[in-house]
């Protein structure tokens, strides 16, 4: 996400949020008002949120965390250009919305923490 166009889109998103600082805006609102393609707008807003430059107080609606005058160019560039953390497969599965899968993974995680399943392969905790 380090194209010059994305920097411009980020500035446009921040400008739109600043112009409407008294209310929160959705990605769709910002995209339509600024003429930014929605997928790019959503990605940029997510990056800015992860960096703490904007907040998401309501369901996928955004607001600035502080006045736009206090934002530094370096903060914006870092938000856009810093490589994203990769999520492990376990974390992705654990965050699943399927209740049965979540419950099973939570039980496995809990059992592992209570040493029912030692990770070193020893028989510790199994009564041998």
């Amino acid at each position: 996400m380090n194209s010059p166009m994305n920097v411009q889109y980020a500035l446009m998103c921040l400008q739109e949020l600043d112009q409407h600082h008294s209310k929160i805006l959705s990605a769709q609102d910002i995209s339509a008002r600024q003429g930014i393609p929605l997928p790019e707008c959503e990605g940029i807003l997510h990056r800015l949120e992860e960096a703490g430059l904007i907040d998401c107080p309501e369901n996928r609606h955004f607001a600035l965390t502080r006045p736009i005058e206090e934002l530094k160019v370096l903060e914006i560039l870092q938000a856009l250009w810093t490589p994203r953390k990769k999520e492990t497969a376990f974390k992705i599965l654990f965050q699943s919305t399927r209740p049965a899968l979540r419950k099973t993974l939570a039980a496995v995680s809990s059992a592992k923490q209570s040493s029912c399943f030692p990770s070193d392969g020893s028989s510790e905790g199994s009564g041998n």
Side-chain angles (χ1 to χ4, degrees):
M1 182 165 275
N2 54 0
S3 82
M5 200 64 201
N6 284 334
V7 174
Q8 175 142 358
Y9 287 159
L11 294 174
M12 292 165 68
C13 288
L14 292 168
Q15 179 184 15
E16 188 67 27
L17 289 169
D18 183 54
Q19 288 176 352
H20 301 280
H21 60 85
S22 60
K23 63 180 184 175
I24 56 176
L25 300 173
S26 70
Q28 291 82 4
D29 293 336
I30 296 168
S31 173
R33 291 179 181 163
Q34 291 291 328
I36 302 169
L38 184 58
E40 283 85 350
C41 186
E42 288 173 334
I44 288 167
L45 290 170
H46 183 68
R47 289 287 196 128
L48 295 172
E49 180 188 10
E50 284 179 339
L53 303 179
I54 62 175
D55 194 19
C56 186
E58 288 187 20
N59 189 17
R60 303 315 302 161
H61 285 70
F62 301 91
L64 290 170
T65 56
R66 58 186 193 260
I68 198 165
E69 297 83 20
E70 293 180 15
L71 298 179
K72 295 178 177 54
V73 173
L74 182 59
E75 291 177 303
I76 298 167
L77 294 177
Q78 284 176 329
L80 298 175
W81 293 353
T82 301
R84 295 182 101 165
K85 297 175 191 166
K86 293 185 179 178
E87 292 190 33
T88 64
F90 180 79
K91 187 171 183 179
I92 292 169
L93 285 173
F94 192 76
Q95 293 174 345
S96 172
T97 57
R98 296 183 183 141
L101 178 60
R102 180 182 277 289
K103 186 176 179 182
T104 301
L105 291 172
V108 169
S109 179
S110 176
K112 186 170 177 106
Q113 289 176 354
S114 66
S115 298
C116 289
F117 299 111
S119 59
D120 64 358
S122 68
S123 58
E124 196 177 308
S126 64
N128 291 338

